[in-house]
């Protein structure tokens, strides 16, 4: 870490001696004040629920400038990766720090595709679930269960174990998500086909059946690949922080990623695209475009409990750059599927336009996030709404594992253990 020239001074009004705190500079983005010695020297903690002002780690993987609406993976702008690279190249970049040349790409792709099958026992494990279980409930279980099947990659302190666990997770997530789907609809599982692309193989495992050949549609394949790239990593968000915190105890990578899947499920995080689509469906049912004004009014009323799902972001206070790319993909997919006049897409466009001009949203810098469009794209591809967050988990796995491995390799890493401001009862007075 690079020390800044200046220091921060913390002073107290009650006579406690003031304290100098070192300041570190990031390569880009805000500096951080190092408060590690604060408790030792003053007996006080900092208070920051929701980590609004706390950098929990140092990281060289992903950078977001929320005000500019900029997202970089290892220094590469998301727009460049989404338009010039595929998902496996992006995985290589996130995991190892460089975009692969042709040879490295071939080797990496081969390593991933050699691990796409899951242990045959997995399907018997899956059978224990109700068929109508939410796919995220199933997926949390399946990912956690990987540690019961792959004992040779569970030692988080062993770099070889970490590497093989990373490859296995990236390779097997599409298989597991597709299995969770097939189980729910009562169709036979489709084994992976290693001659297809990562996204193409997933489409076939989802929508193919043993009865006939499945032709991968290149427009849908590209759209899905882009969804994967756009969701691959996003700095220290809730699920990534969960993975880091969980992994900081030394637990195995599969267990740590299962914790990430569980966190992502929440509607304020990965569940937002499902929530956004459900919201559009509700507006459509209750009068469509005509009723947008009424809906916006509710979303602005704190007592209504209604939010404009797919709008707002903890970090982006500008247009989410992923939302722009997703809007482009959305148009392509709808055209390919002959759904240009899709009422939900039209409704989404109308809602976006009104919200972007409304004072409430403008003042609070609430812009559409990636989830606003990704739900429409996935629905057009034929992915059921309750699987959207599963697709997000599949894509984010590489980010989680890259962040986990970065943490374990960091000499400053410690078990994560936040402190608290205790507001409960003090011990009762002795009789
Ligand atoms: N609709 C209506 N009002 C909103 C919305 C929204 N979608 N989002 C924020 N606001 C309002 C808040 O009520 C608050 O108003 P106030 O200042 O008058 O009290 C203000 O905007 C600031 O919002 P916070 O909740 O403090 O912002 P925070 O950074 O904590 O939350 C979050 C961000 C959780 C994403 C929020 O905007 C939200 O719930 N959005 C809808 C869900 C969503 O789309 N989540 C996806 C996130 S992206 C992802 O996970 C890939």
């Amino acid at each position: 870490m690079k020390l800044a020239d200046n220091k921060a001074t913390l002073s107290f009004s009650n006579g406690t001696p003031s304290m100098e705190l070192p300041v570190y500079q990031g390569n880009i983005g805000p500096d951080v004040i190092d408060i590690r010695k604060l408790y030792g020297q003053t007996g006080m903690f900092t208070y920051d629920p929701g980590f609004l002002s706390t950098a929990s780690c140092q990281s060289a993987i992903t950078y977001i400038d929320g005000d500019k609406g900029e997202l970089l993976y290892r220094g590469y702008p998301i727009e460049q990766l989404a338009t010039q690279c595929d998902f496996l190249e992006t995985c290589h970049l996130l995991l190892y720090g460089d975009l692969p040349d042709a040879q490295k790409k071939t080797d990496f792709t081969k390593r991933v595709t050699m691990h796409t099958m899951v242990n045959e026992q997995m399907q018997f494990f899956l059978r224990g679930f109700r068929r109508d279980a939410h796919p995220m409930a199933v997926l949390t279980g399946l990912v956690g269960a990987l540690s019961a099947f792959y004992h040779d990659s569970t030692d988080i302190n062993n770099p070889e174990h970490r590497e093989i666990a990373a490859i296995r997770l990236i390779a097997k997530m599409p298989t597991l998500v597709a299995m969770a789907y097939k189980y729910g609809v009562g169709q036979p599982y489709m084994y992976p086909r290693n001659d297809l692309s990562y996204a193409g193989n997933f489409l076939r495992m989802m929508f193919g059946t043993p009865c006939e050949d499945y032709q991968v549609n290149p427009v849908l394949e590209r759209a899905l690949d882009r969804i994967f790239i756009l969701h691959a990593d996003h700095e220290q968000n809730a699920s990534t922080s969960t993975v880091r915190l969980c992994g900081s105890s030394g637990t195995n990578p599969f267990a740590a990623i299962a914790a990430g899947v569980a966190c992502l499920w929440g509607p304020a995080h990965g569940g937002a695209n499902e929530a956004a689509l459900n919201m559009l469906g509700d507006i459509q049912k209750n009068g469509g475009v005509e009723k947008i004004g009424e809906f916006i009014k509710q979303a602005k009323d704190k007592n209504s409990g209604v939010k404009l799902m797919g709008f707002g972001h903890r970090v982006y206070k500008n247009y989410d750059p992923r939302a722009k790319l997703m809007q482009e993909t959305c148009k392509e997919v709808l055209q390919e599927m002959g759904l240009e006049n899709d009422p939900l897409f039209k409704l989404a466009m109308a809602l976006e336009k009104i919200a972007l001009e409304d004072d409430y949203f403008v003042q609070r810098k609430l812009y559409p996030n990636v989830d606003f469009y990704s739900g429409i794209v996935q629905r057009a591809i034929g992915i059921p709404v309750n699987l959207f967050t599963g697709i997000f988990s599949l894509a984010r796995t590489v980010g989680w594992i890259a962040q986990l491995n970065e943490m374990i390799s960091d000499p400053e890493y410690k078990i994560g253990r936040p402190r608290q401001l205790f507001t409960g009862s003090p011990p009762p007075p002795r009789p």
Side-chain angles (χ1 to χ4, degrees):
M1 286 197 290
K2 205 164 42 177
L3 264 177
D5 295 335
N6 62 330
K7 286 192 166 136
T9 307
L10 184 64
S11 55
F12 303 89
S13 56
N14 65 354
T16 306
S18 64
M19 176 181 182
E20 276 208 335
L21 299 162
V23 174
Y24 292 102
Q25 269 180 333
N27 290 347
I28 33 174
D31 295 349
V32 300
I33 302 171
D34 181 350
I35 55 161
R36 280 176 290 183
K37 297 211 170 112
L38 181 73
Y39 178 60
Q41 291 191 17
T42 66
M44 276 185 252
F45 301 131
T46 55
Y47 181 62
D48 186 20
F51 304 111
L52 292 168
S53 294
T54 298
S56 60
C57 62
Q58 48 175 316
S59 179
I61 302 176
T62 293
Y63 175 76
I64 305 170
D65 185 326
D67 292 324
K68 279 202 231 157
E70 182 179 63
L71 169 61
L72 312 174
Y73 293 166
R74 302 276 190 188
Y76 289 89
I78 191 68
E79 292 82 358
Q80 186 182 337
L81 296 169
T83 52
Q84 295 170 26
C85 298
D86 65 24
F87 179 63
L88 283 182
E89 286 170 311
T90 308
C91 289
H92 191 284
L93 176 69
L94 288 168
L95 281 178
Y96 308 114
D98 62 321
L99 273 177
D101 58 21
Q103 187 57 52
K104 275 189 186 171
K105 185 179 174 185
T106 309
D107 294 347
F108 181 68
T109 306
K110 192 167 167 206
R111 260 192 300 147
V112 171
T113 48
M114 291 309 286
H115 286 280
T116 49
M117 277 201 299
V118 294
N119 189 299
E120 199 67 2
Q121 283 289 110
M122 209 68 175
Q123 53 173 292
F124 302 115
F125 176 67
L126 195 67
R127 271 189 212 163
F129 289 101
R130 282 171 57 145
R131 294 250 177 207
D132 61 354
H134 194 289
M136 285 304 280
V138 175
L139 206 56
T140 313
L142 292 184
V143 176
L146 287 175
S147 48
F149 291 102
Y150 302 101
H151 294 159
D152 58 343
S153 48
T154 51
D155 179 2
I156 208 163
N157 294 312
N158 180 328
E160 277 173 33
H161 280 218
R162 292 205 298 271
E163 168 65 12
I164 186 75
I167 299 291
R168 278 184 171 143
L169 277 157
I170 294 166
K172 294 183 197 304
M173 276 303 273
T175 315
L176 295 180
V177 173
M179 282 173 83
Y181 169 66
K182 289 291 198 192
Y183 182 72
V185 294
Q187 286 183 7
Y189 308 122
M190 295 293 283
Y191 287 115
R193 278 278 302 269
N194 289 351
D195 56 338
L196 296 175
S197 72
Y198 190 85
N201 175 47
F202 178 64
L203 281 170
R204 183 180 164 277
M205 287 192 292
M206 283 286 296
F207 303 117
T209 67
C211 318
E212 51 192 41
D213 284 343
Y214 179 82
Q215 291 301 324
V216 176
N217 177 321
V219 175
L220 305 190
E221 184 181 20
R222 217 175 28 249
L224 205 53
D225 196 72
R226 179 172 282 191
I227 290 180
F228 295 162
I229 293 174
L230 299 185
H231 289 85
D233 195 43
H234 213 227
E235 211 224 59
Q236 308 310 321
N237 55 84
S239 57
T240 302
S241 299
T242 300
V243 169
R244 280 186 179 254
L245 192 58
C246 183
S248 77
S249 70
T251 191
N252 72 77
F254 304 112
I257 302 304
V261 175
C263 177
L264 192 71
W265 190 1
H269 193 8
N273 50 16
E274 181 173 341
L277 200 70
N278 289 338
M279 172 193 80
L280 291 174
D282 283 347
I283 304 175
Q284 184 64 20
K285 255 192 278 162
N286 293 308
V289 179
E290 309 282 287
K291 293 285 176 186
I292 288 181
E294 225 170 85
F295 179 77
I296 296 258
K297 210 164 140 195
Q298 278 185 334
K300 293 194 294 193
D301 173 7
K302 298 269 179 303
N303 300 320
S304 70
V306 174
K307 269 191 173 179
L308 186 46
M309 299 312 285
F311 260 70
H313 197 276
R314 169 59 59 82
V315 181
Y316 292 117
K317 301 303 169 196
N318 199 329
Y319 214 100
D320 178 343
R322 302 167 303 169
K324 279 189 197 143
L325 292 155
M326 197 39 70
Q327 192 191 45
E328 216 176 86
T329 300
C330 191
K331 284 185 186 150
E332 264 172 44
V333 168
L334 292 177
Q335 196 173 14
E336 174 68 15
M337 305 307 280
L339 295 168
E340 298 96 322
N341 293 321
D342 179 57
L344 287 198
F345 181 61
K346 289 204 156 155
L347 190 60
M349 298 286 278
L351 198 60
E352 179 185 0
K353 188 166 181 300
I354 293 170
L356 287 176
E357 287 164 0
D358 189 295
D359 261 3
Y360 173 95
F361 295 92
V362 174
Q363 276 168 13
R364 288 168 180 75
K365 300 186 174 165
L366 299 170
Y367 293 87
N369 57 50
V370 65
D371 292 322
F372 194 64
Y373 285 106
S374 69
I376 301 175
V377 176
Q378 292 185 60
R379 176 172 159 272
I381 292 176
I383 296 166
V385 175
N386 66 1
L387 204 69
F388 290 178
T389 318
I391 307 284
F392 191 167
S393 313
L394 181 175
R396 182 56 58 84
T397 293
V398 62
W400 288 331
I401 199 93
Q403 300 265 354
L404 180 66
N405 287 351
E406 182 185 62
M407 179 187 76
I408 304 291
S409 320
D410 182 347
E412 299 205 338
Y413 125 76
K414 288 183 167 25
I415 183 169
R417 175 51 169 99
R419 303 304 296 260
Q420 64 175 13
L421 174 69
F422 182 68
T423 55
S425 309
R430 282 170 183 255

